RNA sequence: GCGGGCGUGAUGGAAUGGUAGACAUACCGGACUUAAAAUCCGGAGGCGCAAGCCGUGCGGGUUCGAGUCCCGCCGCCCGUACCA
């Protein structure tokens, strides 16, 4: 093909994708002896269409995969589908289509779209989590975990829709009401299955230190989520026996030092004492009911106005004879954390202070800042900083740690009932992982409930427990529950009639081991082949959205520990390198009636946005994350079919740092597309010059070539794709100028062009192939090695240093690379641009070699 | 509510504590064209004739030197355990 023609991306790209397929270029072999590199992007939920977020995510991963391949690694870069979950059931209800049919149709269309991006994926390893083969193996893992004691059965609360008679997800509860029925949501206690992630709380916490290729922010978020805190469990003696027969209330506190500032005790609405009081107190019962109508989400509970109700019960202050404190039921106490009860010290906890001010409870300041005196008083803002104890009897003058220790020691030594009144305790915010879902479209939990034998695991030879196809979604609730035959089984132990478990697993379970399954996706006799898994894991580079920073990543870390315990290979940390990319955003548009309008329906008329069809004015709103509900989406298909995949990929890598949100703009797409065309022209022009002997040495171009290679490889390794893009622009500018200079020798041009193609091949792989062939190279650019840097061309023998006077740049000076400090100082002082800012000798001269000189006047 | 992050020209952004604004977009000027698009060449943070002064959300601090580190605010975003 002639390079003088405009580059017809859609046609040429299709040609190269077919050629890659034909050559089976991206199939990975487990027995390849080269060093391994596992690059993985978080697999998509098959919603039906890929969105720009996918394009961004998979482009980044593909750049890494192609770069590592060029660097000589045996690269594993697989793709699959996170295919269970609620949307398929919603589609079933709305459109009367079976979840399986809907899901697999979506997978087919999304796969086609992903293929059009030119991703270097090993599609032979593809699977969906809803494949029977996959969830069969997941059931094996569940049973292995059960055997290892990593599974527990406990009760926990769910959002219950009393009208639809169904469990609601948190996102289905809107302002305390069911999204469909509009009914007030209730809380219900259900017996559910849990994975005992808390067994590994300390290990998961400690091992974060070793995750040195994870973003600090994610490591910090995980630490805080696990929330290890050292504190005290202590019991308050009740002045009268509670309605549940109790004589004491046990609380957990991390601030026992503030005990002399305590002015109330509060228990959660779900606390047994609260429940018992409610039986005789309609007002308390009403308060508890109101609290529970908020649903189960922490956001709803903790951001609600702090309220409580006095139970009438009183407890004794442990150190102040005769002092009693009221016991409240409060809406901001979580039953799941600690003991579900606290003592409130308003002066040193903002929630407690808000509560105390509302109910007119005493506020006693017991810690003062180190630089305040003993008259310090907190006012309306709780003081939570470091300090010294005041108003606290035997604690006065102590530091907070000493006071904590003093209280703990005293309460440990004192008996209440037959036990020490206090006990030092490490508490975690992390709770066990509830995996039960009362839904159809998920992996069935392989157990059987037998009245005689209790809970019986489904025997291995009866696996998989498959989802029945004959289900309907015309009524709410879990179709498995009402299925005529699914639930009816014979007990494997006693042969008596039994009931099959109808809960399915949380979809986070599916995504907690898919990366391990990719290493041996066809193994039928076991979920994970230990030695194969160990040869590939950890994933060298994992890329996905920051929204998964906690749950998915923490569950996966736990899962691999459980997998190891179950004997399926020892790789406790699944992801050695993690990168969290930002979202794709776009302007939002509304018509006069206030309806959202798609970007493609908006045109500019003399700078004013109007509707393309009706011509009515459009209001341009904020730039927001692309979402179907706001219609501010751009279809990747449209972009790829009109501009080509390379343009879309290049756009996604350009300008914006990958961890930040990127704004999709028409201007940006045009710019990316212009560069694709420009590179094609540039290389066409270069081909005509590659045989020229030239009259110069081409050293400037050669230096730029090698400096560019070095910069781009370090940018890609650091995932600074936007920087790599800028380097390529600079390189193209240099090459273009070199071509305009007849002195530039053809050899330097050929070297530069050849290297440039190899360097942009990971980002614009189709264009790279076309250019590769055009300059007469053999084989595929996708199979070519990364260019080698000639280090001798990177060495400069002189450096230009900025010269500052009092921190302001006043001059520049060029000195030999290894000039002595004294020589630099002398030369700098001789500069007229320095002298005129000095009157008299300088006080100091700071010379930072190869960096800067600062003269302090 | 709590935890985490981000904020730099008109715009996206660059900058191991060391020349703020690389590179790109939009814009302005020029070349080519009957004209336009495309392409090529050049300009450009603000104020100022200039010397220079000001400038990285706001207010303080550390430092010879702060976009970068520390403290306090403001705004936006993510997570908050049954969305994936």
């Amino acid at each position: 093909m002639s390079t003088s023609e405009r580059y017809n991306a859609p046609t040429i790209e299709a040609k190269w994708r077919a050629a890659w397929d034909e050559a089976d270029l991206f199939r990975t072999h487990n027995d390849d002896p080269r060093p391994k590199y596992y690059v993985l992007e978080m697999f998509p939920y098959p919603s039906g269409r890929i969105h720009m977020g996918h394009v961004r995510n998979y482009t980044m991963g593909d750049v890494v995969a192609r770069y590592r391949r060029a660097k000589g690694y045996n690269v594993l870069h697989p793709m699959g589908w996170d295919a269970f979950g609620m949307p398929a059931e919603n589609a079933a209800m709305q459109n009367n289509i079976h979840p399986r049919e809907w899901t697999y149709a979506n997978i087919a269309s999304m796969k086609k779209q992903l293929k059009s991006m030119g991703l270097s994926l090993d599609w032979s390893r593809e699977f969906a989590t809803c494949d029977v083969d996959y969830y069969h193996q997941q059931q094996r893992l569940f049973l292995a975990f059960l055997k290892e004691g990593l599974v527990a059965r406990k009760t926990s609360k769910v959002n219950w829709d009393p009208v639809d008679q169904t469990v609601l997800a948190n996102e289905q509860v809107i302002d305390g009401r069911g999204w469909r029925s509009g009914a007030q949501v209730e809380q219900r206690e259900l017996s559910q299955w849990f994975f005992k992630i808390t067994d590994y709380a300390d290990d998961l916490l400690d091992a974060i230190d070793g995750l040195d290729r994870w973003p600090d922010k994610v490591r910090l978020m995980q630490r805080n989520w696990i929330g290890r805190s050292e504190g005290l469990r202590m019991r308050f003696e009740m002045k009268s026996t509670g309605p549940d027969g109790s004589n004491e209330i046990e609380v957990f506190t991390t601030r026992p030092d503030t005990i002399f500032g305590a002015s109330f005790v509060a228990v959660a609405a779900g606390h047994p004492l609260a429940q018992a009081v409610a039986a005789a107190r309609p007002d308390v019962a009403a308060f508890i009911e109101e609290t529970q109508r908020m649903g189960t989400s922490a956001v709803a509970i903790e951001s609600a106005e702090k309220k409580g109700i006095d139970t009438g019960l009183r407890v004794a202050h442990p150190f102040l004879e005769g002092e009693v404190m009221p016991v409240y039921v409060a809406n901001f106490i979580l039953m799941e954390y600690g003991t579900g009860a606290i003592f409130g010290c308003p002066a040193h906890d903002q929630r407690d202070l808000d509560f105390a001010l509302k109910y007119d409870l005493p506020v006693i300041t017991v810690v003062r800042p180190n630089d305040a005196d003993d008259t310090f008083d907190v006012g309306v803002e709780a003081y939570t900083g470091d300090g010294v104890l005041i108003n606290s009897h035997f604690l006065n003058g102590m530091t907070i740690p000493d006071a904590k220790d003093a209280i703990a020691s005293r309460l440990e030594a004192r008996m209440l009932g037959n036990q020490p009144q206090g006990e030092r305790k490490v508490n975690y915010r992390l709770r066990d992982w509830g995996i039960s879902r009362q839904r159809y479209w998920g992996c069935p939990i392989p157990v059987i409930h037998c009245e005689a034998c209790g809970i019986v695991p489904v025997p291995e030879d009866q696996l998989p427990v498959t989802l029945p196809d004959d289900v309907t979604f015309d009524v709410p609730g879990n179709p498995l529950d009402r299925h005529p035959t699914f639930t009816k089984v014979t007990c494997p132990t006693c042969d008596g009639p039994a009931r099959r478990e109808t809960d399915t697993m949380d979809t986070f379970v599916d995504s907690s081991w898919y990366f391990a399954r990719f290493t041996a996706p066809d193994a039928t006799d076991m979920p994970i082949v230990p030695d194969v898994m160990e040869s590939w894991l950890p994933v060298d580079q994992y890329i996905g959205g920051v929204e998964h920073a906690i749950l998915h990543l923490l569950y996966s870390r736990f899962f691999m520990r459980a997998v190891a315990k179950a004997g399926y290979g020892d790789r406790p940390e699944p992801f050695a390198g993690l990168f969290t990319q930002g979202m794709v955003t776009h302007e939002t548009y509304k018509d006069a009636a206030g309806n959202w309008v798609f970007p493609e329906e908006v045109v500019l008329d003399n700078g004013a946005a109007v509707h393309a069809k009706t011509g009515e004015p459009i209001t341009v709103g904020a730039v927001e994350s692309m979402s179907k509900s706001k219609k501010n989406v751009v279809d990747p298909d449209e972009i790829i079919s009109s501009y080509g995949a390379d343009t879309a990929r290049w756009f996604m890598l350009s300008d914006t740092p990958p961890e930040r949100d990127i704004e999709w703009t028409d201007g940006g797409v045009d710019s990316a597309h212009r560069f694709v065309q420009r590179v094609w022209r540039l290389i066409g022009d270069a081909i005509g010059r590659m045989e020229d002997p030239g009259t110069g040495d081409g050293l400037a171009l050669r230096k730029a070539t090698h400096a560019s290679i070095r910069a781009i490889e370090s940018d890609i390794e650091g995932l600074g794709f936007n920087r790599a893009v800028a380097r390529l622009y600079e390189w193209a500018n240099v090459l273009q100028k070199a071509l305009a200079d007849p002195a530039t020798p053809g050899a330097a041009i050929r070297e530069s062009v050849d290297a440039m193609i190899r360097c942009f091949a990971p980002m614009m792989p189709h264009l790279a192939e076309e250019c590769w062939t055009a300059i007469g190279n053999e084989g595929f650019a996708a199979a070519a090695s990364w260019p080698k840097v000639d280090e001798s061309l990177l060495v400069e023998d002189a450096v230009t240093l900025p010269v500052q006077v009092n921190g302001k740049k006043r001059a520049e000076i060029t000195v030999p690379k290894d000039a002595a400090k004294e020589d630099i100082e002398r030369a700098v002082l001789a500069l007229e641009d320095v002298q005129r800012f000095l009157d008299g000798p300088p006080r100091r001269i700071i010379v930072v070699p190869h960096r800067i000189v600062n003269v302090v006047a």
Side-chain angles (χ1 to χ4, degrees):
Chain A
M1 173 168 298
S2 162
T3 54
S4 62
E5 282 172 27
R6 206 172 142 77
Y7 180 75
N8 184 342
T11 309
I12 293 168
E13 291 184 347
K15 175 184 77 181
W16 287 112
R17 284 195 294 271
W20 293 330
D21 276 351
E22 176 72 20
D24 204 11
L25 216 50
F26 306 123
R27 185 188 294 267
T28 304
H29 301 281
N30 284 347
D31 56 1
D32 189 311
R34 292 174 299 169
K36 69 96 181 178
Y37 196 93
Y38 189 175
V39 53
L40 184 69
E41 302 95 60
M42 292 178 184
F43 66 164
Y45 179 79
S47 56
R49 310 280 299 166
I50 64 170
H51 54 68
M52 284 299 175
H54 293 126
V55 174
R56 193 179 195 200
N57 191 187
Y58 300 136
T59 298
M60 290 180 196
D62 200 46
V63 172
V64 174
R66 288 175 179 270
Y67 171 76
R68 290 291 167 178
R69 230 175 258 123
K71 279 278 186 177
Y73 290 90
N74 181 33
V75 171
L76 177 58
H77 187 211
M79 182 56 71
W81 308 95
D82 187 14
F84 274 136
M86 284 202 311
E89 293 194 26
N90 292 337
M93 279 182 256
Q94 279 155 20
N95 307 322
N96 196 26
I97 181 170
H98 194 281
R100 186 171 29 72
E101 204 181 308
W102 183 84
T103 303
Y104 281 105
N106 285 350
I107 288 173
S109 57
M110 282 178 78
K111 183 174 177 180
K112 192 162 162 246
Q113 290 185 299
L114 285 185
K115 287 213 156 192
S116 74
M117 285 181 61
L119 303 170
S120 63
L121 291 163
D122 180 356
W123 284 103
S124 74
R125 294 175 188 248
E126 176 194 6
F127 57 76
T129 56
C130 63
D131 291 347
V132 177
D133 288 343
Y134 186 81
Y135 73 71
H136 176 187
Q137 301 302 332
Q138 187 161 300
Q139 290 171 347
R140 277 211 167 108
L141 284 174
F142 177 91
L143 294 177
F145 292 179
L146 188 63
K147 205 166 160 187
E148 295 296 332
L150 292 165
V151 180
R153 188 138 176 92
K154 323 190 241 190
T155 64
S156 73
K157 291 196 199 77
V158 294
N159 302 306
W160 181 255
D161 185 321
V163 171
D164 276 354
Q165 294 282 302
T166 185
V167 176
L168 299 176
N170 282 336
E171 72 159 13
Q172 296 174 320
V173 179
I174 297 149
D175 294 331
R177 292 177 178 276
W179 66 336
R180 270 178 220 285
S181 67
Q184 281 280 2
V185 167
E186 298 168 4
Q187 288 185 356
R188 276 216 174 171
E189 291 269 334
L190 292 185
S191 266
Q192 312 217 58
W193 292 99
F194 288 79
F195 283 153
K196 292 163 74 178
I197 189 171
T198 55
D199 283 6
Y200 291 88
D202 268 321
D203 186 27
L204 288 166
L205 181 64
D206 294 344
I208 290 172
D209 292 338
L211 299 174
D212 56 349
R213 288 203 299 116
W214 280 39
D216 286 341
K217 62 174 175 185
V218 176
R219 299 204 291 171
L220 191 53
M221 281 189 266
Q222 292 218 346
R223 281 194 192 99
N224 290 338
W225 185 261
I226 294 168
R228 182 182 200 275
S229 60
E230 290 176 14
L232 190 72
R233 268 189 189 230
M234 59 178 289
R235 288 174 296 125
F236 285 87
E237 186 176 9
M238 289 162 67
K239 300 302 286 182
S240 58
T241 300
D244 58 346
S246 61
N247 291 306
E248 56 196 38
I249 297 174
E250 184 169 40
V251 305
F252 175 79
T253 178
T254 57
R255 291 300 301 273
D257 55 302
T258 63
I259 186 69
F260 289 103
S263 54
F264 65 95
V265 163
V267 301
H271 195 281
L273 183 61
Q275 299 287 326
V277 170
R281 286 269 306 271
D283 55 339
V284 173
F287 177 77
I288 290 174
E289 207 191 305
E290 182 197 320
T291 300
Q292 294 185 333
R293 274 206 294 268
M294 288 190 290
T296 59
S297 86
V299 187
I301 294 167
E302 292 179 49
S303 53
E305 189 196 350
K306 314 233 166 332
K307 283 191 204 167
I309 187 163
D310 191 344
T311 59
L313 297 168
R314 296 292 179 265
V315 294
H317 191 286
F319 298 106
L320 294 171
E321 195 66 38
E323 184 87 13
V324 296
M325 290 186 278
V327 178
Y328 279 75
V329 180
N331 63 358
F332 60 98
I333 309 299
L334 302 174
M335 194 58 219
E336 292 78 22
Y337 184 79
T339 61
I342 60 137
F343 77 74
C345 175
H348 305 289
D349 181 294
Q350 193 61 47
R351 286 172 303 181
D352 295 351
L353 183 55
D354 294 345
F355 190 82
L357 294 174
K358 188 177 179 81
Y359 295 104
D360 214 19
L361 295 161
V363 178
I364 307 154
T365 304
V366 290
V367 177
R368 63 158 172 83
N370 289 315
D371 55 4
D373 65 37
D374 286 358
T375 62
F376 174 77
D377 187 85
V378 295
V380 292
E381 197 172 327
Y383 178 71
T384 56
D386 200 11
V388 176
L389 274 288
I390 54 174
N391 303 323
S392 294
H393 302 261
F394 59 89
L395 300 177
N396 283 338
M398 287 189 190
T399 64
I400 293 172
D402 287 348
K404 283 180 178 177
D405 195 55
I407 294 295
S409 298
R410 288 203 181 211
L411 290 179
E412 276 172 334
R414 185 198 289 176
M415 300 303 278
L416 180 66
N418 278 326
Q419 289 173 333
Q421 190 172 359
E423 182 194 358
R424 285 173 220 251
K425 186 91 184 170
V426 174
N427 194 54
Y428 298 90
R429 216 185 69 94
L430 181 69
R431 307 199 298 260
D432 277 335
W433 174 12
I435 62 155
S436 280
R437 297 293 180 270
Q438 293 71 42
R439 293 187 218 296
Y440 167 77
W441 194 233
C443 172
I445 294 174
V447 296
I448 287 162
H449 299 270
C450 172
E451 286 213 9
C453 313
I455 284 163
V456 183
V458 174
E460 277 270 340
D461 60 7
Q462 290 177 28
L463 293 183
V465 177
T466 53
L467 291 168
D469 282 339
D470 51 336
V471 286
T472 55
F473 295 88
D474 46 357
V475 284
N478 182 357
L480 295 178
D481 259 342
R482 52 175 189 263
H483 193 275
T485 55
F486 180 79
T487 54
K488 294 196 181 92
V489 285
T490 324
C491 173
T493 308
C494 70
D495 281 337
R499 182 175 166 82
R500 188 184 295 286
E501 171 67 67
T502 56
D503 283 355
T504 52
M505 292 185 212
D506 179 9
T507 56
F508 274 123
V509 180
D510 312 338
S511 57
S512 289
W513 70 287
Y514 76 107
F515 45 86
R517 183 69 184 170
F518 275 139
T519 65
D522 300 323
T524 51
D525 50 344
M526 55 182 114
I528 292 169
V529 182
D531 59 326
V532 175
M533 185 271 270
E534 287 178 355
S535 76
W536 280 111
L537 287 185
V539 173
D540 296 279
Q541 188 62 60
Y542 195 37
I543 306 176
V546 70
E547 65 273 20
H548 293 295
I550 297 173
L551 293 180
H552 162 58
L553 292 166
L554 194 63
Y555 289 152
S556 297
R557 295 181 62 220
F558 156 72
F559 216 85
M560 293 313 288
R561 284 163 169 76
V563 160
K565 192 173 185 196
Y568 286 111
D570 192 13
R571 282 290 178 275
E573 288 301 337
F575 312 117
L578 172 71
F579 187 82
T580 56
Q581 107 247 0
M583 295 178 305
V584 182
T585 64
H586 197 284
E587 278 181 332
T588 48
Y589 308 103
K590 272 186 180 177
D591 63 18
N595 302 311
W596 299 107
V597 178
F598 286 110
E600 73 237 31
E601 297 174 323
V602 177
V603 290
L604 287 180
D605 181 30
N606 284 324
V610 297
H611 198 285
K613 290 194 194 99
T614 65
E616 70 169 306
I618 294 288
T619 312
V620 179
V623 174
E624 295 188 58
S625 172
M626 283 190 180
S627 76
K628 281 182 197 163
S629 62
K630 288 177 180 160
K631 295 195 177 177
N632 60 336
V633 290
V634 174
D635 186 357
D637 258 5
E638 297 278 316
I639 301 300
I640 291 170
S641 60
S642 47
Y643 295 90
D646 286 341
T647 293
R649 294 169 60 116
W650 188 252
F651 178 93
M652 279 306 178
L653 299 167
S654 302
D655 293 343
T656 305
E659 69 276 12
R660 239 187 259 183
D661 290 354
I662 190 171
E663 185 188 350
W664 184 274
T665 60
D666 292 343
V669 184
D670 288 340
S671 157
H673 190 242
R674 273 205 299 278
F675 188 67
V676 170
Q677 295 292 345
R678 183 179 165 207
V679 168
W680 179 242
R681 266 195 323 274
L682 189 61
I683 286 173
D685 292 348
I687 290 169
R689 291 288 314 281
M690 292 198 309
E691 303 305 321
D692 271 8
T695 53
D697 56 10
L699 197 60
L701 177 59
R702 296 202 65 212
K703 282 189 169 190
T705 296
H706 288 266
S708 297
I709 300 167
R710 172 52 44 85
I712 292 166
E713 66 187 14
S714 91
D715 286 339
I716 292 180
E717 284 178 24
L719 307 179
F721 305 114
N722 59 318
R723 294 197 302 272
V725 164
R727 307 280 190 194
L728 272 156
Y729 275 114
E730 281 176 327
W731 189 354
N733 292 343
V734 170
L735 179 61
Q736 193 155 328
K737 286 201 170 66
L739 290 178
D741 180 359
T744 312
I749 291 170
R750 170 170 267 287
E751 177 189 51
S752 195
V753 167
D754 181 273
M756 187 185 283
I757 296 169
R758 293 171 197 258
C759 286
F760 70 67
M763 305 186 240
M764 300 186 287
H766 309 85
L767 177 65
E769 297 296 355
E770 193 69 9
C771 293
W772 189 253
T773 301
I775 67 166
N777 283 352
E778 298 290 317
F780 288 103
S785 63
W786 192 254
K788 189 150 173 38
V789 174
D790 183 342
E791 302 286 341
S792 70
L793 289 169
L794 302 183
V795 182
E796 299 290 341
D797 37 2
V799 287
T800 299
L801 300 177
V803 178
Q804 296 181 330
V805 178
N806 290 333
K808 282 189 183 173
K809 191 200 166 192
R810 299 298 184 183
E812 278 185 354
I813 190 168
T814 302
V815 297
K817 184 173 63 104
D818 44 9
K821 255 186 183 177
E822 298 72 36
D823 295 336
I824 296 174
E825 286 177 15
R826 208 171 307 125
V828 161
L829 287 177
L831 291 173
E832 201 202 321
D833 279 335
V834 171
Q835 276 302 322
R836 65 199 182 90
F837 291 100
L838 294 177
D839 33 47
R843 288 200 296 151
R844 216 176 137 186
I845 303 180
I846 290 133
V847 178
V848 184
H850 301 123
R851 276 280 167 207
I852 203 168
V853 180
N854 190 12
V855 180
V856 186

